[in-house]
């Protein structure tokens, strides 16, 4: 039985990945940020325990728990949990930026570093990072998330090159989803309320017109090109099981379209498109 540690399994992409791989016979260590979500997953038959990227001790404890349950080995890691803070760049408090980088970047690589000795010792491993289309382009009022995902992709590319230099099959892949049907927006609203003083911002009209309606109003129809979480899981399975996994997996038509436009268009023209 192959083993995989997955983060952010309370819902959405992480939950679908854990459920699908468990059904395929993998030993899935399905972690969540909150213990109440772990309890729910355990009730569903998962091996679940707490891992919060912003809590260094929880990462150490989760690594120890993982290796205890697998007998000291681990075939794969799927770094998935992340959140956004919808805000204009000029309205982002320093503490908010520090928090989101702890969750979306530092925690990912802390976890990788703690598991790397195991993968080196056993002589193989797969590391799959869940990024986003915003890992290679930018959109207004998404600066915190965009910057964290750009950092994630830069570090992941560097790690991949470093792993290719050693004579071990430790493969590093990045998945870049576009719009996926998950509770991501609900979580974003909580972060917006926590950090952003939008009522006293010079960008108040932007929040009222473009941000708040998207966060709180019920959507009448899916976003263009939106897919279910299973679309990400399909790419994850290829990254896990292919003899030669790809370096990058794009998910959804919007991701592929934007990547193509970025290659062929001048920056000013692309900016006009991205500004909507």
């Amino acid at each position: 039985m192959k083993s995989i540690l997955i983060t952010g399994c309370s819902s959405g992409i992480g939950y679908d990945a854990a459920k699908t791989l468990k059904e395929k016979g993998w030993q899935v260590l399905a972690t969540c940020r909150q213990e109440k979500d772990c309890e729910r997953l355990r009730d569903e038959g998962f091996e679940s325990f707490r891992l919060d990227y912003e809590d260094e001790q929880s990462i150490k404890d989760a690594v120890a728990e993982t290796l205890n349950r697998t007998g000291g080995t681990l075939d794969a890691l799927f770094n998935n949990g992340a959140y956004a803070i919808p805000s204009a760049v000029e309205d982002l408090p320093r503490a908010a930026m520090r928090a989101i980088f702890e969750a979306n970047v530092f925690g990912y690589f802390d976890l990788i570093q703690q598991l790397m000795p195991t993968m080196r010792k056993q002589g193989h491993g797969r590391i799959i990072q869940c990024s986003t289309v915003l890992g290679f382009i930018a959109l207004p009022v998404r600066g915190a998330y965009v910057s964290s995902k750009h950092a994630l992709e830069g570090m992941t590319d560097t790690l991949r090159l470093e792993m290719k230099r050693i004579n071990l099959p430790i493969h590093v892949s990045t998945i870049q989803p576009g719009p996926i049907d998950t509770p991501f927006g609900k979580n974003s609203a909580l972060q917006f309320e926590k950090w952003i003083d939008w009522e006293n911002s010079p960008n108040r009209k932007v929040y009222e017109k473009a941000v708040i309606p998207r966060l709180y109003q019920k959507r009448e129809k899916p976003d263009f090109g939106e897919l279910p979480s299973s679309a990400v899981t399909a790419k994850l399975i290829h990254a896990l099981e292919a003899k030669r996994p790809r370096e990058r997996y794009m998910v959804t038509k919007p991701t592929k379209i934007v990547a193509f436009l970025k290659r062929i268009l001048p920056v000013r023209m692309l900016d006009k498109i991205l500004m909507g």
Side-chain angles (χ1 to χ4, degrees):
M1 181 182 292
K2 290 187 175 181
S3 57
I4 182 170
L5 173 62
I6 305 177
T7 63
C9 293
S10 61
S11 61
I13 292 171
Y15 179 78
D16 188 85
K19 184 174 182 292
T20 302
L21 289 172
K22 184 174 181 292
E23 291 170 352
K24 285 175 64 67
W26 283 70
Q27 181 183 7
V28 177
L29 294 313
T31 69
C32 306
R33 183 172 59 86
Q34 298 185 38
E35 179 59 29
K36 65 179 182 179
D37 293 318
C38 295
E39 292 177 2
R40 173 172 54 83
L41 291 185
R42 287 194 292 268
D43 289 341
E44 295 181 29
F46 288 97
E47 295 185 66
S48 183
F49 42 90
R50 183 172 174 269
L51 191 159
D52 180 352
Y53 285 133
E54 296 182 65
D55 181 346
E56 292 183 53
Q57 187 59 50
S58 83
I59 295 176
K60 293 179 182 178
D61 293 343
V63 169
E65 184 69 19
T66 295
L67 299 180
N68 179 59
R69 289 173 181 254
T70 63
T73 67
L74 186 69
D75 294 294
L77 166 66
F78 181 35
N79 266 322
N80 162 69
Y83 64 77
I85 306 175
S87 172
V89 170
E90 65 181 310
D91 295 329
L92 281 167
R94 181 172 184 148
M97 289 293 292
R98 184 179 293 113
I100 198 170
F101 268 74
E102 288 283 355
N104 292 6
V105 185
F106 303 154
Y108 277 48
F109 290 96
D110 185 2
L111 184 55
I112 288 171
Q113 288 169 359
Q114 292 191 45
L115 290 171
M116 190 61 71
T118 297
M119 291 186 175
R120 280 181 172 269
K121 182 179 179 180
Q122 69 193 16
H124 70 274
R126 301 282 171 109
I127 299 170
I128 298 95
Q129 309 273 69
C130 192
S131 182
T132 166
V133 60
L134 297 182
F136 61 86
I137 58 104
L139 287 178
V141 296
R142 293 167 175 83
Y145 188 64
V146 166
S147 60
S148 69
K149 289 299 186 177
H150 274 64
L152 171 67
E153 294 221 6
M155 286 280 279
T156 301
D157 286 346
T158 303
L159 175 65
R160 186 184 68 251
L161 294 173
E162 292 169 351
M163 291 298 98
K164 286 184 175 182
R165 295 178 70 177
I166 64 176
N167 192 29
L168 287 174
I170 300 177
H171 300 286
V172 181
S173 299
T174 301
I175 300 178
Q176 298 169 318
I180 300 293
D181 183 16
T182 73
F184 190 80
K186 180 180 179 181
N187 296 332
S188 297
L190 295 175
Q191 295 296 325
F192 178 73
E193 294 166 4
K194 178 179 180 180
W195 294 110
I196 308 307
D197 183 16
W198 65 271
E199 292 177 304
N200 295 308
S201 166
N203 300 292
R204 177 170 178 159
K205 290 184 178 179
V206 174
Y207 293 118
E208 291 176 334
K209 182 178 179 180
V211 178
I212 292 175
R214 185 171 180 82
L215 288 177
Y216 297 104
Q217 291 180 6
K218 185 177 180 180
R219 294 187 301 163
E220 296 182 358
K221 59 181 181 179
D223 290 334
F224 167 70
E226 183 175 278
L227 293 175
S229 296
S230 57
V232 178
T233 302
K235 301 297 185 181
L236 171 63
I237 290 172
H238 188 278
L240 290 171
E241 298 183 349
K243 184 177 181 180
R244 296 184 63 185
R246 300 172 193 167
E247 287 80 9
R248 287 184 174 83
Y249 293 86
M250 293 187 180
V251 186
T252 74
K253 288 183 180 179
T255 304
K256 297 173 184 178
I257 291 171
V258 170
F260 174 71
L261 294 178
K262 185 175 182 179
R263 288 197 301 269
I264 66 169
L265 293 181
V267 173
R268 289 183 181 178
M269 189 174 296
L270 182 61
D271 281 354
K272 288 182 180 180
I273 294 172
L274 297 176
M275 287 169 63

